[in-house]
Amino acid sequence: MKILVIGSGGREHALVWKLAQSPHTEKIFCTPGNAGIAQEIVGQASSLSGATHRQDACATKRVECVNIAADDLPKLLAFAREKKIDLTVVGPDNPLALGIVDLFQTNGLRIWGPNQKAAQFESSKVFSQNFMEKYGIPTARAGTFSDATAAKKFAASLNGKCAVKADGLALGKGVLICANENEANKAIEEILVAKNFGAAGANIVIQEFLEGMEISLHAICDGKTAKLFPTSQDHKRALDGDKGLNTGGMGTYSPTPFLSDAELKKVGDAILQPWLRGCVEEKINFCGILYPGVMLTKNGPRVLEFNARFGDPETQVYLTRLENDLVELLDASVSGTLDKIELKWKSAASVCVVMASGGYPGNYEKGKPIRGLDDAAKLPNVKVFHAGTALKENQIVTNGGRVLGVTAWAKDLKTAQTAAYAAVEKISFDGAQFRRDIAAKAWQ
Ligand code: AMP
């Protein structure tokens, strides 16, 4: 099978790495990809152990990165046609929201991911909130508004303790957490009146502020069936102890100890059963990953938001644990045959530590040489996924905010955490920053 993976982050590297291990895979292209993705080799057993790649591997087996932006739909379509791609796998949310799945399907191409209507679970928070309320999915008390006066009145009824959310995609920055009425009014003004998020902020959702432990859930879906993954937890803040600015995610681990298997099944059912029922009712054919962000409150689990794709860096921990052939799994998701597949997990735990550029999520410099990648790759059960990296004069250099996702898997969480940090210690670049407490919440 010839596969095209769209995207360039650590999530896409993990997808490529896992797809490359499938006997069904003949060739992988990645648009635009990164320096680490370009080192992967289809069918090479070394990618299972994390060992360095053999230089003499057949060139055609090497993953080919092609410089087409993830949101350049016409070029992606032309490329997939020219290369006779058998399956396209979409990583990021933006092309999904733009309707890449509809476009490819109309042109007779097989593609994995939700279509534009289904991708609304992520691309419109108003849509999601209304859907959750209509179908009884446990969520925060909330209201949706386009009028600032009505919004302020609702925020006041919550004493200003709320999350004010721009409806559309806003590069992960469209959620403002408010502690009092002043902050809430300011947030409402920023989005609805000053239009700081442009059209994405024409409407807003205001949710009551919820306290508890936040976890990520993932379920792979085919329109009729949704299969739940184990739990994972991201670390959104830049600094240890959940201090500092919000980021795209500084590390993950899986599983979390906050839900037993039986509790996870209960939480999964409480979300997925009404969700599937709603999808049937609304004629939404969701093929892809549904990724609810969930707060475990003292009154039970509450969905904060839905994403409609794999999380980053959740993918890195999930795919280093997954035993199933990923090509078969995605294929079943496209074909509507997920009910015939049982998810299997080969390693008990996995931890991913993100190494970021100095200054991230604020301004940072690019082009810093990265040292120690080969040494880290020699460690057993370790895989260094690349995110913001590039190849410059034969040297891998930093090329983004989040640079690497150093991932280790093991028989338990503690061993995986120790192994991930041992690998991090081997790697260096000027200004490198990372959290030293990824997975620490598991023992708090
Ligand atoms: P979202 O993109 O909707 O998940 O929001 C981003 C982050 O804001 C979440 O990961 C939470 O940490 C936080 N957040 C969102 N909604 C709420 C809420 N209702 N109560 C507390 N925190 C929230």
Side-chain angles (χ1 to χ4, degrees):
M1 211 186 258
K2 277 194 212 165
I3 299 176
L4 168 63
V5 176
I6 296 174
S8 62
R11 164 184 51 214
E12 287 75 22
H13 191 179
L15 286 165
V16 165
W17 173 78
K18 186 72 181 162
L19 291 166
Q21 293 166 25
S22 168
H24 302 290
T25 305
E26 182 192 320
K27 173 83 193 169
I28 301 181
F29 296 95
C30 187
T31 51
N34 61 41
I37 291 173
Q39 285 187 326
E40 293 298 334
I41 292 163
V42 171
Q44 184 139 323
S46 68
S47 50
L48 286 167
S49 67
T52 43
H53 300 305
R54 282 169 47 213
Q55 296 301 315
D56 60 350
C58 176
T60 58
K61 292 281 181 190
R62 198 173 281 276
V63 174
E64 242 177 89
C65 290
V66 181
N67 194 17
I68 305 174
D71 58 1
D72 192 341
L73 272 47
K75 273 202 184 142
L76 290 168
L77 175 65
F79 180 79
R81 277 175 147 170
E82 181 203 324
K83 297 293 179 189
K84 302 194 166 40
I85 298 293
D86 299 299
L87 179 67
T88 296
V89 176
V90 189
D93 51 7
N94 205 19
L96 295 170
L98 292 171
I100 192 165
V101 171
D102 312 64
L103 178 70
F104 273 46
Q105 285 175 345
T106 309
N107 285 276
L109 290 169
R110 208 167 160 74
I111 182 165
W112 178 78
N115 59 29
Q116 196 168 28
K117 185 174 177 187
Q120 282 183 99
F121 280 107
E122 177 155 11
S123 64
S124 169
K125 289 192 189 287
V126 170
F127 170 86
S128 257
Q129 192 67 40
N130 288 338
F131 185 98
M132 286 195 276
E133 285 168 18
K134 183 166 176 192
Y135 292 100
I137 296 170
T139 181
R141 196 181 142 209
T144 59
F145 304 93
S146 54
D147 171 64
T149 311
K152 285 179 187 173
K153 203 168 152 204
F154 182 72
S157 77
L158 301 170
N159 294 324
K161 284 191 78 177
C162 61
V164 180
K165 307 185 177 192
D167 177 36
L169 296 179
L171 299 170
K173 297 194 165 97
V175 175
L176 305 173
I177 303 293
C178 310
N180 53 47
E181 256 188 86
N182 261 349
E183 286 181 17
N185 289 344
K186 198 166 150 249
I188 292 164
E189 292 270 333
E190 268 179 38
I191 304 180
L192 283 181
V193 183
K195 304 220 177 295
N196 284 1
F197 298 101
N203 295 290
I204 57 172
V205 174
I206 300 181
Q207 287 181 337
E208 66 177 321
F209 180 81
L210 292 175
E211 280 175 82
M213 188 59 87
E214 194 178 341
I215 58 165
S216 300
L217 295 183
H218 278 54
I220 186 156
C221 312
D222 68 2
K224 308 183 292 280
T225 303
K227 298 246 163 174
L228 192 61
F229 286 15
T231 56
S232 65
Q233 188 172 46
D234 193 3
H235 298 66
K236 284 281 176 203
R237 301 293 200 93
L239 306 175
D240 284 12
D242 288 339
K243 303 264 169 22
L245 295 172
N246 250 328
T247 70
M250 294 299 288
T252 37
Y253 66 100
S254 171
T256 69
F258 314 116
L259 292 175
S260 65
D261 286 351
E263 286 165 336
L264 173 61
K265 184 170 177 332
K266 241 172 94 184
V267 171
D269 285 350
I271 298 168
L272 295 175
Q273 287 183 359
W275 177 78
L276 277 170
R277 209 170 41 245
C279 284
V280 171
E281 194 99 340
E282 308 282 334
K283 297 192 172 39
I284 296 170
N285 185 24
F286 192 107
C287 296
I289 293 282
L290 183 77
Y291 153 20
V294 175
M295 193 71 91
L296 301 174
T297 74
K298 63 179 190 324
N299 298 319
R302 299 283 183 269
V303 177
L304 299 179
E305 60 154 2
F306 283 123
N307 300 291
R309 34 89 199 166
F310 267 114
D312 187 347
E314 285 89 343
T315 311
Q316 291 83 321
V317 288
Y318 282 136
L319 295 189
T320 48
R321 293 191 61 199
L322 184 71
E323 186 173 329
N324 299 70
D325 181 314
L326 187 60
V327 174
E328 288 175 10
L329 198 56
L330 301 188
D331 201 56
S333 167
V334 176
S335 306
T337 53
L338 267 180
D339 58 332
K340 298 194 174 54
I341 290 199
E342 187 195 342
L343 291 182
K344 293 195 179 127
W345 305 94
K346 68 180 158 54
S347 59
S350 182
V351 173
C352 170
V353 179
V354 169
M355 297 183 76
S357 294
Y360 173 78
N363 294 336
Y364 54 84
E365 290 175 12
K366 294 183 183 176
K368 308 285 183 197
I370 305 174
R371 297 170 290 270
L373 287 169
D374 284 349
D375 287 341
K378 284 183 193 133
L379 298 171
N381 299 339
V382 164
K383 178 69 193 174
V384 179
F385 293 114
H386 290 221
T389 67
L391 193 64
K392 198 171 140 200
E393 291 154 12
N394 255 347
Q395 162 80 55
I396 292 182
V397 299
T398 65
N399 193 41
R402 292 189 294 170
V403 177
L404 302 168
V406 182
T407 309
W409 56 97
K411 61 182 186 341
D412 59 57
L413 213 50
K414 191 83 213 167
T415 314
Q417 187 199 41
T418 305
Y421 279 106
V424 166
E425 289 307 320
K426 302 265 180 209
I427 301 171
S428 62
F429 51 87
D430 285 357
Q433 61 167 35
F434 57 90
R435 281 181 60 159
R436 292 175 190 276
D437 64 347
I438 301 302
K441 281 198 193 103
W443 299 285
Q444 275 171 10

